[in-house]
Amino acid sequence: MKIHLPNSAFLGNIDPFLQSIDISDSSKLEITTNKKWISIHPVVLSMVAARGLTFQNTNIYCEQLEATSKHYLARMGLFKLLNITTTIHITEHESAGRFIPLTQIKNSADLTKFITEIIPLLHLDPKQSEPIKYIVSELVRNVLEHSGSQHGAIVCAQYYKKSNTIRIGIADTGVGITRTITTSHAANSDLDAIRLALTPGVTGTTRREGGTEYNAGAGLFFIKSIAKINRDFFMIYSGDALYKLLKSVGNAAHIRLYSDPFEDRHSKKENLPYWQGTAVGIDISLDATREFSQLLDAIREIYLKTVKERKKERYRRPRFI
Amino acid sequence: MKEIMLKNVVGSFAEDKDLAREIRTKEIVPALDAGEEVTLDFVDVDAATQSFIHALISDIIRKRGIESLDSIYFKNCNTVVKKIISIVTDYMQESA
C-alpha cells in the first residue's frame, strides 16, 4: 500500500487524496509526502496511523521528509504510534488548546479517559465541548462495538485558529460499514450501506424498529445532523465509497434536516481505492456552534417524523375481495 | 423508592453504554420487579448521549410497555439531558 500525503487535504478537497491511495501491494506500507508542504485534515492522519498499525513497523517505509511542515507529523504522534524511527526532532510541548495527538482507543476505559482527560485539554467552553464529546463518544463506540478491529479507533483533532474550527478524524481498519449493516439490512453497494447507516433508526444489529436494548441506529444520524445545523463538513469513507456532507448554505435558522442523507447537500463517490474499515472526518466551527440543546430540538423533530413515516409504511390494509 | 445517583457511576458526561446496561439490569430492573419506583438522579451530569439513555431505559419500555415510565422518575436533569431522555422515550413509543 502506498499513501501520499499531499500539500493540502481537508474535507472540502479530500477526494484526490483518497483516490491516490494505492492498495496494490498489501505486504508493506509506503508513506510519501509533498516535498514542500503538508497540510492535512486529522482524518488523513488517523487513516495513515490506523492503516500503519496493521503492518509490522519493519514493513512501513517513510521517505525522508523534506516539507517545511514535516514536524507536524511528528508532533501529532504519527511516528511514535507506528513505532518507526525518524530524524525529525521536535520540542515536545503542551498540546493544550491546539491539538489532540493521534490516540489509539481500544476499549471503553480508554474512551472514558479520552473524553474526561484529553478533550478538556482543548480548553473549550462547555457549549463548544459538548458536541465534540458527543461526536467522539458516539463514533468511537461505533468502532468498538461494530468494527471488530483489533487495533480499535485512532483519533486525533486539531484546532485551526484562522477558521476557529476544531477538525476531528477517527479511523479504523475493521470490517467496514457494509458488513455491519448487511447483517440486518440489504445493501447493494458500500455507498448504499453508508446511506443506510446515516438513516435514523437503522442499525446493523436488528431489522426491528426501535433497535435493540443496546443500539437505536441513531448515532451517525445525530452526528451528521450536528454538522449540518452548524454548516460544517462531515465525511464518511468505507469500502470503496465516500459520502460527504457539504456545507449548508443560507440562513442557519432555516436549515432543514433530512432522514435520507442523499437529500442533504452532499457529494458521493464510488469505486475509490478500497478502504478496509471506516474513516470519519468532521469539522466543528466554533463560531457557528448552536446551543447543543437547540440542535437536539431539530434532531428530535426529524428523527421522530422518520420513525412515524416508516411505521406508516408498514401499515397493512385489509384486503377486501 | 430506589434512588440512583448517576454521577457517582458514570461521571459528568454519561456516555458509557456498558455502565448504562449494568445500572439497568442490576439496579433499575430488580427494583421495578420488587414493585418499587425508581428515581434516576442526574445531578451534576452535564450531558448524556442518546446511546447511553437508550441503553439505560429502552429495553425496560420495550419489555414492560410504556407504562413502566410511570414508575421511573428523572431528577435534576438539565435541559440537554431532558431533551435526550425525551428523544429516547418518544422514539420508543413511536417505534412500538
Side-chain angles (χ1 to χ4, degrees):
Chain A
M1 175 175 261
K2 287 182 190 169
I3 298 181
H4 179 75
L5 302 179
N7 65 336
S8 173
F10 289 90
L11 298 189
N13 65 347
I14 200 167
D15 305 31
F17 161 72
L18 300 178
Q19 240 145 7
S20 75
I21 296 173
D22 179 351
I23 58 169
S24 56
D25 182 355
S26 59
S27 66
K28 61 183 179 181
L29 173 63
E30 277 183 67
I31 303 168
T32 59
T33 68
N34 183 278
K35 301 290 179 207
K36 291 184 177 171
W37 192 258
I38 312 158
S39 189
I40 49 178
H41 191 280
V43 72
V44 174
L45 269 178
S46 293
M47 288 173 70
V48 175
R51 186 57 56 203
L53 286 172
T54 66
F55 291 86
Q56 290 210 335
N57 63 343
T58 49
N59 291 329
I60 301 174
Y61 303 92
C62 186
E63 68 169 5
Q64 191 74 28
L65 303 183
E66 294 171 27
T68 320
S69 50
K70 62 189 176 188
H71 298 88
Y72 179 67
L73 303 183
R75 200 173 298 291
M76 291 300 278
L78 180 65
F79 308 115
K80 193 173 165 188
L81 186 71
L82 298 183
N83 196 22
I84 51 179
T85 48
T86 171
T87 54
I88 301 170
H89 296 289
I90 53 163
T91 309
E92 294 280 357
H93 62 78
E94 179 61 63
S95 63
R98 303 198 313 164
F99 63 93
I100 293 174
L102 286 160
T103 307
Q104 184 175 18
I105 300 177
K106 293 177 81 171
N107 54 47
S108 191
D110 288 350
L111 175 58
T112 301
K113 189 177 172 201
F114 187 83
I115 288 170
T116 54
E117 294 178 18
I118 309 295
I119 291 181
L121 293 178
L122 289 168
H123 290 300
L124 302 169
D125 69 36
K127 179 186 153 198
Q128 294 168 330
S129 67
E130 266 176 12
I132 290 168
K133 286 198 268 188
Y134 195 100
I135 288 164
V136 169
S137 168
E138 293 283 29
L139 288 175
V140 174
R141 286 209 177 273
N142 270 352
V143 175
L144 300 179
E145 286 169 26
H146 304 300
S147 80
S149 168
Q150 58 172 312
H151 302 290
I154 306 300
V155 185
C156 68
Q158 171 83 45
Y159 171 68
Y160 291 80
K161 193 176 176 185
K162 197 175 169 186
S163 55
N164 196 25
T165 302
I166 299 277
R167 293 175 179 152
I168 304 169
I170 296 177
D172 72 72
T173 50
V175 297
I177 288 179
T178 303
R179 172 103 172 263
T180 304
I181 281 289
T182 53
T183 307
S184 305
H185 302 272
N188 294 325
S189 65
D190 291 327
L191 189 61
D192 264 0
I194 290 175
R195 185 182 192 177
L196 282 168
L198 289 167
T199 304
V202 174
T203 166
T205 53
T206 183
R207 285 189 66 81
R208 186 175 59 182
E209 201 65 57
T212 64
E213 59 155 330
Y214 211 56
N215 290 98
L220 283 172
F221 169 72
F222 270 52
I223 292 163
K224 177 183 70 89
S225 300
I226 290 169
K228 177 153 190 198
I229 292 173
N230 284 331
R231 293 193 283 187
D232 290 318
F233 280 116
F234 164 83
M235 68 143 253
I236 187 161
Y237 177 40
S238 187
D240 74 355
L242 168 71
Y243 172 87
K244 186 159 59 175
L245 178 78
L246 302 176
K247 288 187 173 200
S248 300
V249 290
N251 187 333
H254 296 112
I255 290 173
R256 280 188 64 188
L257 295 178
Y258 298 101
S259 60
D260 181 354
F262 286 5
E263 287 189 50
D264 292 309
R265 186 166 178 264
H266 73 284
S267 68
K268 51 184 180 285
K269 279 207 168 109
E270 294 185 274
N271 301 317
L272 287 167
Y274 194 86
W275 181 262
Q276 182 60 57
T278 304
V280 175
I282 186 164
D283 295 349
I284 302 286
S285 310
L286 300 182
D287 290 336
T289 304
R290 273 169 54 175
E291 289 285 351
F292 193 52
S293 66
Q294 284 178 275
L295 292 176
L296 292 174
D297 288 334
I299 291 169
R300 178 188 187 187
E301 190 184 332
I302 186 68
Y303 186 48
L304 295 177
K305 188 176 159 216
T306 305
V307 174
K308 279 181 189 171
E309 282 170 0
R310 228 176 8 239
K311 193 174 174 183
K312 210 169 172 184
E313 280 173 15
R314 295 198 311 272
Y315 282 178
R316 293 289 179 270
R317 304 277 174 217
R319 287 184 294 177
F320 300 107
I321 55 173
Chain B
M1 169 77 80
K2 182 175 180 66
E3 191 152 325
I4 301 167
M5 298 291 290
L6 288 156
K7 168 77 187 298
N8 298 343
V9 187
V10 303
S12 61
F13 182 58
E15 60 85 31
D16 189 331
K17 294 161 72 176
D18 297 326
L19 289 177
R21 177 158 56 185
E22 205 170 303
I23 294 166
R24 170 168 50 81
T25 57
K26 293 188 177 164
E27 302 211 44
I28 304 175
V29 169
L32 294 176
D33 284 344
E36 282 186 88
E37 292 187 323
V38 175
T39 296
L40 299 170
D41 193 333
F42 284 81
V43 69
D44 293 331
V45 174
D46 300 330
T49 62
Q50 174 273 333
S51 295
F52 175 88
I53 299 296
H54 183 87
L56 188 69
I57 59 173
S58 71
D59 203 47
I60 294 169
I61 298 171
R62 181 181 296 115
K63 288 180 176 159
R64 295 165 183 255
I66 197 62
E67 302 76 19
S68 57
L69 275 184
D70 296 339
S71 305
I72 302 173
Y73 297 88
F74 301 92
K75 189 177 172 185
N76 291 318
C77 301
N78 66 23
T79 308
V80 167
V81 173
K82 273 183 189 169
K83 287 184 181 181
I84 298 275
I85 292 170
S86 299
I87 286 173
V88 172
T89 56
D90 286 353
Y91 174 60
M92 291 311 296
Q93 292 181 78
E94 292 298 342
S95 60

